[in-house]
């Protein structure tokens, strides 16, 4: 793992955006794996600015998002589809047909997970996967205890995750209990991974991820075994 320590979230986001832009410039048909949550928001702002400045085009890029809540329609204000449209896709020249996010309203979430996995198999591999880090060490919604070889699947969200994400909802009871998440096995097949970690509240878990034992109790610890991971963080540890 290469650790890139930045002085603040601005620098972290600029660095992450620079790596993404270089990837798309080198290979305009790049396949990107994308994350939602607070962490990548500024990175996406930088991508939008670079597009507006004529420095990059996403016309031929394909994207796969890590996850979606089960039970939320794509246009629900808390769905990750809505998030991606608002934070990135609506402001760049990406072809929405080439953007893939699991459908939280699919009749059968298991079948939706299999179909999503199939699409990655057909259109992948993912050239560059962006990840955030959960307070419990999760990546995607792969909560502690998830087998490292898991493919895209339906997950029951950890209480810590639901409480942490309640900030985006009016109250905790509205936070869905399940999600569809790209599996750790799928994530590990990405050619390159950027783990973005912002904020001192994640210092302890980041230490475990980078220096601790590789264990399913800390899902992101598996990244120690991936050949091409950059951790970009504003945490001194
Ligand atoms: C989001 C995702 C999650 C988040 C993680 C950190 O698509 O898969 O793993 O990256 O929960 O969330 P934030 O950035 O809100 O702290």
């Amino acid at each position: 793992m290469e650790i890139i320590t930045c002085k603040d979230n601005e620098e972290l986001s600029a660095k992450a955006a620079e790596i993404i832009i270089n990837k798309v410039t080198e290979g305009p048909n790049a396949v990107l794996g994308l994350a939602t949550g607070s962490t990548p928001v500024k990175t996406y702002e930088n991508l939008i600015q670079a597009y507006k400045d004529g420095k990059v085009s996403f016309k031929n890029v394909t994207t796969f998002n890590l996850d979606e809540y089960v039970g939320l329609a794509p246009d629900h204000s808390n769905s990750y589809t809505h998030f991606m449209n608002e934070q990135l896709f609506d402001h760049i020249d990406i072809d929405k047909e080439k953007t893939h996010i699991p459908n939280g309203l699919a009749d059968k979430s298991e079948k939706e997970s299999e179909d999503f996995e199939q699409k990655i198999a057909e259109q992948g591999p993912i050239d560059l996967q962006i990840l955030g880090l959960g307070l419990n060490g999760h990546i995607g919604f792969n909560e502690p205890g998830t087998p490292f070889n898991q493919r895209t699947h339906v997950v029951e969200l950890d209480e810590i995750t639901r409480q942490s994400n309640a900030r985006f909802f009016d109250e905790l009871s509205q936070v869905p209990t399940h999600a569809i998440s790209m599996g750790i096995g799928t994530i590990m097949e990405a050619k390159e991974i950027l783990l973005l970690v912002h904020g001192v509240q994640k210092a302890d878990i980041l230490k475990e991820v980078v220096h601790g034992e590789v264990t399913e109790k800390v899902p992101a610890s598996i990244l120690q075994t991936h050949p091409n991971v950059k951790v970009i963080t504003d945490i001194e540890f």
Side-chain angles (χ1 to χ4, degrees):
M1 284 172 144
E2 181 187 345
I3 313 292
I4 301 174
T5 307
C6 301
K7 68 174 189 303
D8 55 22
N9 195 36
E10 301 285 326
E11 196 177 298
L12 180 164
S13 306
K15 183 72 198 162
E18 181 193 316
I19 293 171
I20 297 168
I21 291 165
N22 286 344
K23 184 65 70 181
V24 173
T25 306
E26 280 161 24
N29 298 318
V31 180
L32 302 178
L34 299 177
T36 57
S38 312
T39 311
V41 169
K42 277 213 165 298
T43 299
Y44 295 156
E45 279 175 23
N46 284 312
L47 295 183
I48 293 167
Q49 194 55 53
Y51 162 70
K52 288 190 174 154
D53 293 343
K55 292 183 183 149
V56 64
S57 167
F58 296 90
K59 209 162 42 150
N60 297 311
V61 165
T62 297
T63 65
F64 287 94
N65 260 80
L66 284 166
D67 36 28
E68 179 59 286
Y69 288 118
V70 170
L72 298 192
D75 61 355
H76 187 286
S77 59
N78 283 120
S79 80
Y80 285 166
T81 305
H82 185 262
F83 175 100
M84 287 310 301
N85 287 335
E86 284 228 309
Q87 302 296 330
L88 184 63
F89 297 155
D90 283 348
H91 311 286
I92 58 176
D93 62 346
I94 199 156
D95 174 358
K96 290 248 182 110
E97 295 288 315
K98 293 194 168 94
T99 67
H100 306 284
I101 304 177
N103 179 2
L105 275 196
D107 279 351
K108 294 201 172 65
S109 303
E110 284 77 11
K111 172 79 171 55
E112 176 67 12
S113 304
E114 281 166 27
D115 291 350
F116 192 74
E117 187 72 31
Q118 185 60 31
K119 275 187 219 153
I120 298 175
E122 286 164 10
Q123 298 172 44
I126 291 172
D127 294 301
L128 181 63
Q129 174 69 56
I130 312 304
L131 297 176
L133 180 65
L135 285 169
N136 59 3
H138 76 205
I139 45 176
F141 274 138
N142 294 288
E143 304 288 27
T146 308
F148 282 151
N149 63 358
Q150 180 82 59
R151 313 303 304 186
T152 302
H153 63 301
V154 180
V155 263
E156 181 170 359
L157 298 176
D158 210 271
E159 229 13 67
I160 295 182
T161 301
R162 291 190 65 243
Q163 280 165 15
S164 167
N165 289 4
R167 66 193 191 276
F168 299 112
F169 293 78
D170 289 337
E171 52 179 274
L172 180 61
S173 64
Q174 292 176 359
V175 184
T177 54
H178 290 77
I180 295 175
S181 178
M182 201 187 278
I184 295 179
T186 322
I187 291 171
M188 288 295 282
E189 284 169 9
K191 291 195 207 159
E192 181 175 358
I193 295 177
L194 295 188
L195 177 67
L196 311 183
V197 190
H198 158 62
V200 284
Q201 72 282 7
K202 292 187 182 163
D204 289 343
I205 191 68
L206 182 58
K207 252 181 249 164
E208 279 191 65
V209 167
V210 175
H211 299 302
E213 184 195 345
V214 176
T215 165
E216 289 174 356
K217 289 186 205 144
V218 182
S221 65
I222 189 66
L223 299 174
Q224 291 180 29
T225 69
H226 188 285
N228 194 357
V229 175
K230 291 185 177 71
V231 179
I232 310 182
T233 184
D234 55 6
I235 306 169
E236 295 278 357
F237 69 103

